[in-house]
Amino acid sequence: MNLRLWLKTGFNKWRLALLVFIIICAVFLLLELGYMSIQWDEAPHLHGSLLLTRGQLQEYISTYGYYPPLYDLLTAGYFGILGATAASGRLVAVTFSLLSIWIVFEFANRTYGPKTALIASILLGTMPGFFWISRVAMIETMLMFFFSLSLFFFLSWIRFDQNKTLILCGLALGVGFLAKYQIAVAGIVMLALILFLCRDKLRARLSKFLLLPIIALIVILPWISIVVQTNGLERFGELLYVIQEGGQDRAAYSSRFPAPIFYLIEMTWPFNDIPVHPISLPIFILGLLGIGLWAYRRKTEDKFFLIWFIVVYVFFTLIPNKQWRYITPIFPVLAISAASFIFFVYGKIGAAWKSGQLTLSNRRVRQIAAALFIVLVTSAIVYSSYEAYQMTERDQIHIPVEETANYLASHMNLNESAVIVCAFNLFNQDMLRFYLPANMSSHQIWQYPELSVDSFTPNFNITEFVSLCEQQNVKYVILYDYGADTPFFNTTLTYTNVTTLLYESGRFGFTGDEPFFGDMPHRTFLVGFLQP
């Protein structure tokens, strides 16, 4: 009887439409999921998850213990079922992106009704930045889901003051912290919500609110205990690095625009090579208009989302290092605000259209205006979908990392190593380590300089490099055949300069077994190191 009632009242035409949209999203997200070369920020999660599947917990914690573990644990589960591939490693992001679309529907349905909920879900699913992060092994979709889920339970607690929803909120916060540490901002949002929305019961609500961090800590403490027991406090600085979204080395990128409006511009213009935006400009404008509508109307649900948006925006604006992926918790708010504004305008047009005081000609004008508005909104969604395709296609680059790793594994002894020269976003040591067999040590692959040359200013010292090659018994130097004359980050040094230094040192050359892998312009090749 309960199932029949749920089918009648819960699973209605709007949820059916949502299900259809989620299925369509899933199909597009899964298309050629493993083709794109691994991104720099994906590599730790993929390699770390591989270590977990092999039972190398000690090495995992000592290497990647400063990252929250939930993504890697779930990815290890996918690896165990489907095998360790880039595609299966990205399925966690796909899973939580679909869950994020669902929770946005539930949120908007509870606050503004099913029509707004469906449009909000579609707007979120077609945002270029959201679609892109849904296809990479990164933790933003997981953060977005748990951030929204915890606030969903918190809204229920504010409305009905039930201890059950408060406990669920604390659990969502704790589990979300194990997904990404920055979910702690949700706690600040909740505190602000109590101060602004619960003034009549402020003391009682604040006293119950203290239960939230206690529940979250109960969930978090086992992981913190494991990390401290394994690493002590030696790598605590790396944990702070992750929590602060990186170090001061990223200040150059973060200072491109004035801090107060950085993310207003960053949402629509992070790339110089193609006109692609994390949030399509028409949708972004609709979202901001919706924010303005909420500020003007100030219903309880409007204030709820306004506080969510403002706290997150201000918090990440105050953090020195900035990048559009850091502020993804406001994507659901902008999707809901855009949908809310769309139906507000459409409602105004419809109300005027039905007015008995209008003449026939005026009614036709209203009909035309309503039709044009529908066309404009549909065009905005189609354009956003096209930009999502462009943003994804931009990174559909395949670098033969697996082929290179397989060759190294079959041509190196266990006491030999190989070094990547000038690693960058699409080619680094963790990517090669991901494809190495279990009998090879990850220490046999390393890189010089240590940081990415397209994101950090490199210091390439040929004397130091040769000395390190001698110490680590290097057999192969691994080079990448692209961007030979492109300057590295914040310097005039280029790949051509580096290869010239290698040649002039007299210590690097071909010994007869250094092949090329892949095709131009995305090709790797090996150079032998001549031991003294």
Side-chain angles (χ1 to χ4, degrees), residues 345-365:
V345 173
Y346 188 77
K348 290 295 183 181
I349 295 174
W353 180 4
K354 296 176 182 177
S355 173
Q357 299 177 353
L358 290 178
T359 63
L360 181 61
S361 60
N362 284 338
R363 287 191 178 187
R364 287 179 179 173
V365 170

Side-chain angles (χ1 to χ4, degrees), residues 125-174:
T126 56
M127 285 181 181
F130 177 82
F131 189 85
W132 185 86
I133 61 174
S134 300
R135 288 174 49 89
V136 292
M138 297 181 193
I139 52 186
E140 276 71 25
T141 58
M142 188 177 280
L143 168 68
M144 197 182 305
F145 171 73
F146 284 109
F147 203 104
S148 302
L149 182 66
S150 62
L151 286 170
F152 178 78
F153 288 132
F154 192 77
L155 175 63
S156 297
W157 177 66
I158 285 179
R159 284 183 164 181
F160 306 111
D161 195 16
Q162 295 178 340
N163 292 332
K164 179 178 69 175
T165 55
L166 187 63
I167 293 171
L168 290 172
C169 180
L171 291 173
L173 269 179

Side-chain angles (χ1 to χ4, degrees), residues 213-274:
I214 294 173
I215 296 172
L217 279 173
I218 292 172
V219 177
I220 297 164
L221 280 177
W223 170 246
I224 300 297
S225 176
I226 292 172
V227 172
V228 171
Q229 288 179 12
T230 304
N231 294 336
L233 297 177
E234 296 176 4
R235 307 191 72 178
F236 191 69
E238 291 179 329
L239 179 64
L240 293 177
Y241 178 90
V242 174
I243 292 176
Q244 296 173 18
E245 301 284 17
Q248 293 300 320
D249 296 324
R250 297 184 181 178
Y253 182 90
S254 304
S255 61
R256 296 181 307 149
F257 315 122
I261 60 170
F262 180 90
Y263 283 113
L264 292 179
I265 304 174
E266 175 77 357
M267 286 295 97
T268 57
W269 188 50
F271 304 110
N272 295 323
D273 51 350
I274 57 173

Side-chain angles (χ1 to χ4, degrees), residues 381-439:
I381 294 174
V382 171
Y383 179 69
S384 184
S385 303
Y386 175 68
E387 284 206 323
Y389 163 77
Q390 279 193 310
M391 190 169 180
T392 305
E393 180 64 22
R394 170 183 180 268
D395 287 330
Q396 288 301 296
I397 296 170
H398 181 74
I399 298 173
V401 180
E402 184 174 6
E403 295 90 330
T404 305
N406 290 339
Y407 185 88
L408 294 173
S410 61
H411 287 75
M412 283 170 50
N413 298 323
L414 293 180
N415 65 336
E416 295 174 326
S417 72
V419 55
I420 298 174
V421 175
C422 299
F424 72 113
N425 185 50
L426 297 179
F427 192 42
N428 73 0
Q429 60 191 12
D430 282 340
M431 299 172 193
L432 279 172
R433 291 169 178 172
F434 176 66
Y435 291 109
L436 291 179
N439 65 333

Side-chain angles (χ1 to χ4, degrees), residues 123 281-294 309 333-339 341:
L123 291 174
L281 188 57
I283 303 301
F284 190 61
I285 292 172
L286 287 172
L288 292 180
L289 289 172
I291 295 290
L293 171 65
W294 288 342
F309 178 86
V333 181
L334 287 170
I336 296 172
S337 69
F341 180 78

